Amino acid sequence: MNLQQRQEIYETAKSWIFEAGNEIREHMNGPLGIETKSNPNDLVTVLDKQTEKFFVDRIHESYPEHHIIGEEGFGDTLSNVDGTIWIIDPIDGTMNFIHQKRTFAISIGILHNGIGEIGFVYDVMGDNLYHAKRGEGAFKNDIQLAPLDRKKKLEESIIGMNHFWLCENRVVDYKVTQKFVRTVRGTRTIGSAALELASVAEGVQDAYLALSLAPWDVAGGIILNHEVGGVAGDVDGNAWNPLERASAVVANPAIHSAIIEFLKEGRK
Amino acid sequence: MNLQQRQEIYETAKSWIFEAGNEIREHMNGPLGIETKSNPNDLVTVLDKQTEKFFVDRIHESYPEHHIIGEEGFGDTLSNVDGTIWIIDPIDGTMNFIHQKRTFAISIGILHNGIGEIGFVYDVMGDNLYHAKRGEGAFKNDIQLAPLDRKKKLEESIIGMNHFWLCENRVVDYKVTQKFVRTVRGTRTIGSAALELASVAEGVQDAYLALSLAPWDVAGGIILNHEVGGVAGDVDGNAWNPLERASAVVANPAIHSAIIEFLKEGRK
């Protein structure tokens, strides 16, 4: 993928995102066709599926040699990261989508031979597009995002994480998470991993921690973060693997190691 | 306070809120003058104080017989709820204000002889005004908010609460809160009590729980909730007392008792 090809893919993907976003907004006041997937809290709607299919059909048509990893199952099953891969979450934050009719996102990360080249997180109802190309910076709409503050301290940080970190879980002893919550300045829960990551890239919060996420939850947001200095990996500090579900710690570079160190004490 | 007087006070307060909001937005890109109050995490800025003083000065001038309870100390110390009382939080969500430059609110509740007559929650950066007069419904900008869904079940609810509910605290055994988090559909943390309450009134989330709040954190939002059927009180189900700091449970009427019952098991 040379820069000219990348620019063309970027422009095309962006136009598809706006088209899909329009479609979603137009349907927001209709019935959403809620099904339940593996459990009643794992909601999926007709619009999730339609939106993923919209992207998959267009990618197959325009870039038949590209691969796709998507939440709703219209993509491919991949065993390696060779070539160009689109990692797509058509609606990240489905519970917010259904319940709030806001605070959800379209997330797309495009990798070439394992390297994140293009990232998008589109806050559909707010009509805010976060976007990045490797080496060219990250943007919110037309505004370039500043590099993350390298003097940030853990005690002065706002951390995005859900409440399950403080319940019995497979990743970290909640007694350690309790100490962590009392150490940082504040904790928040948005309910969309993609928007949490966009908030980290924007410097609005300083890290996002998740017990278990799929590649499509984080691909777009991690590529954004790379452009402002954000560090992404799992709870042990291993680099992000775009083919695997894992825990996630995506953080301002000044506090990333401190978070890993803090949680290590309670690591299971 | 007759209806004509109330309407006049409502219109006047609304114009002051927009004026204060403009002032805050204009200053958002300047240095914020952060001080620390009782502890380093309890941030207060020059703008908090200026904004409260703005309201207090105007109320004194226009309504010298009214009383004021305000976060920043320019108001009165009251021992009863006689007469007309303005309960003001000039910037609710100071940490968001400083860190995110968004997701904070001006909150005003106006009571007459202990009864909430007028409520405002103004999302300053989103320019969304939630407003209500007793008996006339609650609105978000020009749109009237629907009555809350009386068929809502606890298991299908999204609950706003912070992470300290899951740490050692004086109100509820965190083991019970852990069960609670696993029982409801989802939990969220916005970081501004006023906006959490506006979200409950809007039906975007179904309850907001707080370990300890001052009257100014909740007055405006509770008055909004009354107009859509939302129930407000402390964690034991006692009615809200506008003169006291207390725990808070503000909820959709269909789940309010279920929340109180659930937490009772762990009540300290």
Side-chain angles (χ1 to χ4, degrees), chain A residues 27-51:
Chain A
H27 283 83
M28 279 314 277
N29 292 320
L32 295 174
I34 298 164
E35 296 173 21
T36 54
K37 278 196 292 197
S38 56
N39 73 61
N41 288 355
D42 194 4
L43 301 158
V44 66
T45 68
V46 172
L47 267 180
D48 279 80
K49 291 185 178 173
Q50 279 177 355
T51 305

PDB file of all heavy atoms in Angstrom, chain A residues 27-51:
ATOM      1  N   HIS A  27     -32.871   6.052  10.607  1.00  0.00           N
ATOM      2  CA  HIS A  27     -33.650   4.946  11.172  1.00  0.00           C
ATOM      3  C   HIS A  27     -33.833   5.037  12.684  1.00  0.00           C
ATOM      4  O   HIS A  27     -34.518   4.203  13.266  1.00  0.00           O
ATOM      5  CB  HIS A  27     -32.984   3.604  10.839  1.00  0.00           C
ATOM      6  CG  HIS A  27     -33.233   3.169   9.436  1.00  0.00           C
ATOM      7  ND1 HIS A  27     -32.484   3.636   8.378  1.00  0.00           N
ATOM      8  CD2 HIS A  27     -34.150   2.340   8.894  1.00  0.00           C
ATOM      9  CE1 HIS A  27     -32.922   3.098   7.250  1.00  0.00           C
ATOM     10  NE2 HIS A  27     -33.931   2.309   7.530  1.00  0.00           N
ATOM     11  N   MET A  28     -33.210   6.038  13.315  1.00  0.00           N
ATOM     12  CA  MET A  28     -33.188   6.060  14.783  1.00  0.00           C
ATOM     13  C   MET A  28     -34.581   6.125  15.403  1.00  0.00           C
ATOM     14  O   MET A  28     -34.782   5.675  16.528  1.00  0.00           O
ATOM     15  CB  MET A  28     -32.363   7.236  15.306  1.00  0.00           C
ATOM     16  CG  MET A  28     -30.881   7.004  15.305  1.00  0.00           C
ATOM     17  SD  MET A  28     -30.377   5.402  15.974  1.00  0.00           S
ATOM     18  CE  MET A  28     -30.364   5.744  17.725  1.00  0.00           C
ATOM     19  N   ASN A  29     -35.533   6.687  14.725  1.00  0.00           N
ATOM     20  CA  ASN A  29     -36.859   6.793  15.337  1.00  0.00           C
ATOM     21  C   ASN A  29     -37.796   5.651  14.985  1.00  0.00           C
ATOM     22  O   ASN A  29     -38.913   5.586  15.472  1.00  0.00           O
ATOM     23  CB  ASN A  29     -37.470   8.153  15.009  1.00  0.00           C
ATOM     24  CG  ASN A  29     -36.704   9.257  15.708  1.00  0.00           C
ATOM     25  OD1 ASN A  29     -36.303   9.095  16.860  1.00  0.00           O
ATOM     26  ND2 ASN A  29     -36.445  10.338  15.015  1.00  0.00           N
ATOM     27  N   GLY A  30     -37.332   4.721  14.159  1.00  0.00           N
ATOM     28  CA  GLY A  30     -38.125   3.528  13.867  1.00  0.00           C
ATOM     29  C   GLY A  30     -37.865   2.453  14.906  1.00  0.00           C
ATOM     30  O   GLY A  30     -37.001   2.604  15.765  1.00  0.00           O
ATOM     31  N   PRO A  31     -38.624   1.349  14.856  1.00  0.00           N
ATOM     32  CA  PRO A  31     -38.326   0.231  15.756  1.00  0.00           C
ATOM     33  C   PRO A  31     -36.975  -0.364  15.381  1.00  0.00           C
ATOM     34  O   PRO A  31     -36.633  -0.434  14.195  1.00  0.00           O
ATOM     35  CB  PRO A  31     -39.457  -0.758  15.504  1.00  0.00           C
ATOM     36  CG  PRO A  31     -39.998  -0.406  14.160  1.00  0.00           C
ATOM     37  CD  PRO A  31     -39.704   1.044  13.912  1.00  0.00           C
ATOM     38  N   LEU A  32     -36.208  -0.782  16.352  1.00  0.00           N
ATOM     39  CA  LEU A  32     -34.825  -1.160  16.084  1.00  0.00           C
ATOM     40  C   LEU A  32     -34.626  -2.658  15.836  1.00  0.00           C
ATOM     41  O   LEU A  32     -33.545  -3.086  15.471  1.00  0.00           O
ATOM     42  CB  LEU A  32     -33.913  -0.706  17.220  1.00  0.00           C
ATOM     43  CG  LEU A  32     -33.815   0.821  17.388  1.00  0.00           C
ATOM     44  CD1 LEU A  32     -33.018   1.154  18.631  1.00  0.00           C
ATOM     45  CD2 LEU A  32     -33.168   1.460  16.168  1.00  0.00           C
ATOM     46  N   GLY A  33     -35.657  -3.460  16.018  1.00  0.00           N
ATOM     47  CA  GLY A  33     -35.524  -4.894  15.737  1.00  0.00           C
ATOM     48  C   GLY A  33     -34.503  -5.577  16.617  1.00  0.00           C
ATOM     49  O   GLY A  33     -33.567  -6.208  16.146  1.00  0.00           O
ATOM     50  N   ILE A  34     -34.682  -5.461  17.911  1.00  0.00           N
ATOM     51  CA  ILE A  34     -33.703  -6.004  18.844  1.00  0.00           C
ATOM     52  C   ILE A  34     -33.774  -7.533  18.893  1.00  0.00           C
ATOM     53  O   ILE A  34     -34.827  -8.108  19.107  1.00  0.00           O
ATOM     54  CB  ILE A  34     -33.954  -5.442  20.259  1.00  0.00           C
ATOM     55  CG1 ILE A  34     -33.783  -3.930  20.229  1.00  0.00           C
ATOM     56  CG2 ILE A  34     -33.028  -6.085  21.274  1.00  0.00           C
ATOM     57  CD1 ILE A  34     -34.374  -3.236  21.424  1.00  0.00           C
ATOM     58  N   GLU A  35     -32.674  -8.169  18.680  1.00  0.00           N
ATOM     59  CA  GLU A  35     -32.563  -9.607  18.929  1.00  0.00           C
ATOM     60  C   GLU A  35     -31.636  -9.774  20.127  1.00  0.00           C
ATOM     61  O   GLU A  35     -31.006  -8.841  20.582  1.00  0.00           O
ATOM     62  CB  GLU A  35     -31.885 -10.309  17.746  1.00  0.00           C
ATOM     63  CG  GLU A  35     -32.657 -10.232  16.463  1.00  0.00           C
ATOM     64  CD  GLU A  35     -31.814 -10.795  15.317  1.00  0.00           C
ATOM     65  OE1 GLU A  35     -30.876 -11.568  15.593  1.00  0.00           O
ATOM     66  OE2 GLU A  35     -32.100 -10.448  14.176  1.00  0.00           O
ATOM     67  N   THR A  36     -31.527 -10.953  20.633  1.00  0.00           N
ATOM     68  CA  THR A  36     -30.495 -11.175  21.633  1.00  0.00           C
ATOM     69  C   THR A  36     -29.520 -12.185  21.062  1.00  0.00           C
ATOM     70  O   THR A  36     -29.903 -13.143  20.409  1.00  0.00           O
ATOM     71  CB  THR A  36     -31.072 -11.719  22.956  1.00  0.00           C
ATOM     72  OG1 THR A  36     -31.831 -12.882  22.653  1.00  0.00           O
ATOM     73  CG2 THR A  36     -31.960 -10.699  23.618  1.00  0.00           C
ATOM     74  N   LYS A  37     -28.267 -11.930  21.277  1.00  0.00           N
ATOM     75  CA  LYS A  37     -27.243 -12.867  20.819  1.00  0.00           C
ATOM     76  C   LYS A  37     -27.003 -13.898  21.917  1.00  0.00           C
ATOM     77  O   LYS A  37     -27.915 -14.605  22.312  1.00  0.00           O
ATOM     78  CB  LYS A  37     -25.968 -12.101  20.438  1.00  0.00           C
ATOM     79  CG  LYS A  37     -26.067 -11.510  19.027  1.00  0.00           C
ATOM     80  CD  LYS A  37     -24.710 -11.083  18.463  1.00  0.00           C
ATOM     81  CE  LYS A  37     -24.141  -9.896  19.202  1.00  0.00           C
ATOM     82  NZ  LYS A  37     -23.060  -9.235  18.434  1.00  0.00           N
ATOM     83  N   SER A  38     -25.800 -13.992  22.432  1.00  0.00           N
ATOM     84  CA  SER A  38     -25.501 -15.062  23.383  1.00  0.00           C
ATOM     85  C   SER A  38     -26.235 -14.908  24.721  1.00  0.00           C
ATOM     86  O   SER A  38     -26.533 -15.869  25.389  1.00  0.00           O
ATOM     87  CB  SER A  38     -24.005 -15.146  23.623  1.00  0.00           C
ATOM     88  OG  SER A  38     -23.520 -13.906  24.068  1.00  0.00           O
ATOM     89  N   ASN A  39     -26.520 -13.701  25.145  1.00  0.00           N
ATOM     90  CA  ASN A  39     -27.296 -13.508  26.360  1.00  0.00           C
ATOM     91  C   ASN A  39     -28.146 -12.259  26.217  1.00  0.00           C
ATOM     92  O   ASN A  39     -27.918 -11.444  25.327  1.00  0.00           O
ATOM     93  CB  ASN A  39     -26.374 -13.459  27.584  1.00  0.00           C
ATOM     94  CG  ASN A  39     -25.604 -12.164  27.656  1.00  0.00           C
ATOM     95  OD1 ASN A  39     -26.193 -11.087  27.747  1.00  0.00           O
ATOM     96  ND2 ASN A  39     -24.292 -12.244  27.596  1.00  0.00           N
ATOM     97  N   PRO A  40     -29.141 -12.095  27.099  1.00  0.00           N
ATOM     98  CA  PRO A  40     -30.111 -11.008  26.912  1.00  0.00           C
ATOM     99  C   PRO A  40     -29.479  -9.624  26.917  1.00  0.00           C
ATOM    100  O   PRO A  40     -30.044  -8.689  26.384  1.00  0.00           O
ATOM    101  CB  PRO A  40     -31.060 -11.173  28.106  1.00  0.00           C
ATOM    102  CG  PRO A  40     -30.802 -12.519  28.655  1.00  0.00           C
ATOM    103  CD  PRO A  40     -29.409 -12.905  28.287  1.00  0.00           C
ATOM    104  N   ASN A  41     -28.305  -9.498  27.531  1.00  0.00           N
ATOM    105  CA  ASN A  41     -27.679  -8.183  27.587  1.00  0.00           C
ATOM    106  C   ASN A  41     -26.805  -7.900  26.370  1.00  0.00           C
ATOM    107  O   ASN A  41     -26.280  -6.810  26.217  1.00  0.00           O
ATOM    108  CB  ASN A  41     -26.831  -8.047  28.858  1.00  0.00           C
ATOM    109  CG  ASN A  41     -27.718  -7.928  30.085  1.00  0.00           C
ATOM    110  OD1 ASN A  41     -28.937  -7.863  29.969  1.00  0.00           O
ATOM    111  ND2 ASN A  41     -27.099  -7.898  31.251  1.00  0.00           N
ATOM    112  N   ASP A  42     -26.634  -8.887  25.535  1.00  0.00           N
ATOM    113  CA  ASP A  42     -25.786  -8.712  24.353  1.00  0.00           C
ATOM    114  C   ASP A  42     -26.712  -8.416  23.177  1.00  0.00           C
ATOM    115  O   ASP A  42     -27.110  -9.295  22.417  1.00  0.00           O
ATOM    116  CB  ASP A  42     -24.988  -9.994  24.121  1.00  0.00           C
ATOM    117  CG  ASP A  42     -23.866  -9.766  23.137  1.00  0.00           C
ATOM    118  OD1 ASP A  42     -23.682  -8.610  22.704  1.00  0.00           O
ATOM    119  OD2 ASP A  42     -23.182 -10.743  22.805  1.00  0.00           O
ATOM    120  N   LEU A  43     -27.062  -7.189  23.052  1.00  0.00           N
ATOM    121  CA  LEU A  43     -28.106  -6.806  22.116  1.00  0.00           C
ATOM    122  C   LEU A  43     -27.537  -6.560  20.727  1.00  0.00           C
ATOM    123  O   LEU A  43     -26.462  -6.033  20.555  1.00  0.00           O
ATOM    124  CB  LEU A  43     -28.766  -5.536  22.620  1.00  0.00           C
ATOM    125  CG  LEU A  43     -29.379  -5.657  24.007  1.00  0.00           C
ATOM    126  CD1 LEU A  43     -29.517  -4.294  24.645  1.00  0.00           C
ATOM    127  CD2 LEU A  43     -30.716  -6.361  23.927  1.00  0.00           C
ATOM    128  N   VAL A  44     -28.285  -6.959  19.776  1.00  0.00           N
ATOM    129  CA  VAL A  44     -27.861  -6.660  18.420  1.00  0.00           C
ATOM    130  C   VAL A  44     -29.108  -6.281  17.628  1.00  0.00           C
ATOM    131  O   VAL A  44     -30.198  -6.776  17.865  1.00  0.00           O
ATOM    132  CB  VAL A  44     -27.120  -7.847  17.794  1.00  0.00           C
ATOM    133  CG1 VAL A  44     -28.031  -9.032  17.591  1.00  0.00           C
ATOM    134  CG2 VAL A  44     -26.485  -7.449  16.490  1.00  0.00           C
ATOM    135  N   THR A  45     -28.968  -5.395  16.780  1.00  0.00           N
ATOM    136  CA  THR A  45     -30.148  -4.908  16.067  1.00  0.00           C
ATOM    137  C   THR A  45     -29.954  -5.134  14.579  1.00  0.00           C
ATOM    138  O   THR A  45     -28.844  -5.390  14.103  1.00  0.00           O
ATOM    139  CB  THR A  45     -30.328  -3.402  16.300  1.00  0.00           C
ATOM    140  OG1 THR A  45     -29.269  -2.737  15.656  1.00  0.00           O
ATOM    141  CG2 THR A  45     -30.369  -3.068  17.769  1.00  0.00           C
ATOM    142  N   VAL A  46     -31.060  -5.049  13.902  1.00  0.00           N
ATOM    143  CA  VAL A  46     -31.004  -5.167  12.449  1.00  0.00           C
ATOM    144  C   VAL A  46     -30.031  -4.155  11.858  1.00  0.00           C
ATOM    145  O   VAL A  46     -29.298  -4.448  10.915  1.00  0.00           O
ATOM    146  CB  VAL A  46     -32.423  -4.981  11.870  1.00  0.00           C
ATOM    147  CG1 VAL A  46     -32.390  -4.895  10.364  1.00  0.00           C
ATOM    148  CG2 VAL A  46     -33.328  -6.116  12.322  1.00  0.00           C
ATOM    149  N   LEU A  47     -29.980  -2.976  12.464  1.00  0.00           N
ATOM    150  CA  LEU A  47     -29.108  -1.930  11.917  1.00  0.00           C
ATOM    151  C   LEU A  47     -27.625  -2.272  12.040  1.00  0.00           C
ATOM    152  O   LEU A  47     -26.836  -1.905  11.171  1.00  0.00           O
ATOM    153  CB  LEU A  47     -29.388  -0.588  12.587  1.00  0.00           C
ATOM    154  CG  LEU A  47     -30.391   0.319  11.889  1.00  0.00           C
ATOM    155  CD1 LEU A  47     -30.552   1.611  12.677  1.00  0.00           C
ATOM    156  CD2 LEU A  47     -29.952   0.655  10.468  1.00  0.00           C
ATOM    157  N   ASP A  48     -27.238  -2.968  13.124  1.00  0.00           N
ATOM    158  CA  ASP A  48     -25.847  -3.441  13.228  1.00  0.00           C
ATOM    159  C   ASP A  48     -25.504  -4.268  11.998  1.00  0.00           C
ATOM    160  O   ASP A  48     -24.491  -4.055  11.334  1.00  0.00           O
ATOM    161  CB  ASP A  48     -25.659  -4.393  14.422  1.00  0.00           C
ATOM    162  CG  ASP A  48     -25.497  -3.710  15.745  1.00  0.00           C
ATOM    163  OD1 ASP A  48     -26.521  -3.301  16.306  1.00  0.00           O
ATOM    164  OD2 ASP A  48     -24.356  -3.594  16.199  1.00  0.00           O
ATOM    165  N   LYS A  49     -26.365  -5.238  11.749  1.00  0.00           N
ATOM    166  CA  LYS A  49     -26.090  -6.192  10.675  1.00  0.00           C
ATOM    167  C   LYS A  49     -26.116  -5.514   9.306  1.00  0.00           C
ATOM    168  O   LYS A  49     -25.237  -5.739   8.476  1.00  0.00           O
ATOM    169  CB  LYS A  49     -27.126  -7.321  10.719  1.00  0.00           C
ATOM    170  CG  LYS A  49     -26.957  -8.206  11.927  1.00  0.00           C
ATOM    171  CD  LYS A  49     -27.903  -9.391  11.892  1.00  0.00           C
ATOM    172  CE  LYS A  49     -27.662 -10.268  13.113  1.00  0.00           C
ATOM    173  NZ  LYS A  49     -28.649 -11.344  13.223  1.00  0.00           N
ATOM    174  N   GLN A  50     -27.146  -4.691   9.100  1.00  0.00           N
ATOM    175  CA  GLN A  50     -27.241  -3.987   7.815  1.00  0.00           C
ATOM    176  C   GLN A  50     -26.016  -3.114   7.586  1.00  0.00           C
ATOM    177  O   GLN A  50     -25.500  -3.039   6.470  1.00  0.00           O
ATOM    178  CB  GLN A  50     -28.482  -3.092   7.794  1.00  0.00           C
ATOM    179  CG  GLN A  50     -29.762  -3.834   7.463  1.00  0.00           C
ATOM    180  CD  GLN A  50     -30.985  -2.925   7.525  1.00  0.00           C
ATOM    181  OE1 GLN A  50     -30.877  -1.761   7.906  1.00  0.00           O
ATOM    182  NE2 GLN A  50     -32.143  -3.473   7.178  1.00  0.00           N
ATOM    183  N   THR A  51     -25.568  -2.457   8.649  1.00  0.00           N
ATOM    184  CA  THR A  51     -24.439  -1.540   8.498  1.00  0.00           C
ATOM    185  C   THR A  51     -23.162  -2.312   8.187  1.00  0.00           C
ATOM    186  O   THR A  51     -22.381  -1.927   7.315  1.00  0.00           O
ATOM    187  CB  THR A  51     -24.287  -0.676   9.770  1.00  0.00           C
ATOM    188  OG1 THR A  51     -25.525  -0.023  10.032  1.00  0.00           O
ATOM    189  CG2 THR A  51     -23.192   0.357   9.603  1.00  0.00           C
TER     190      THR A  51
END
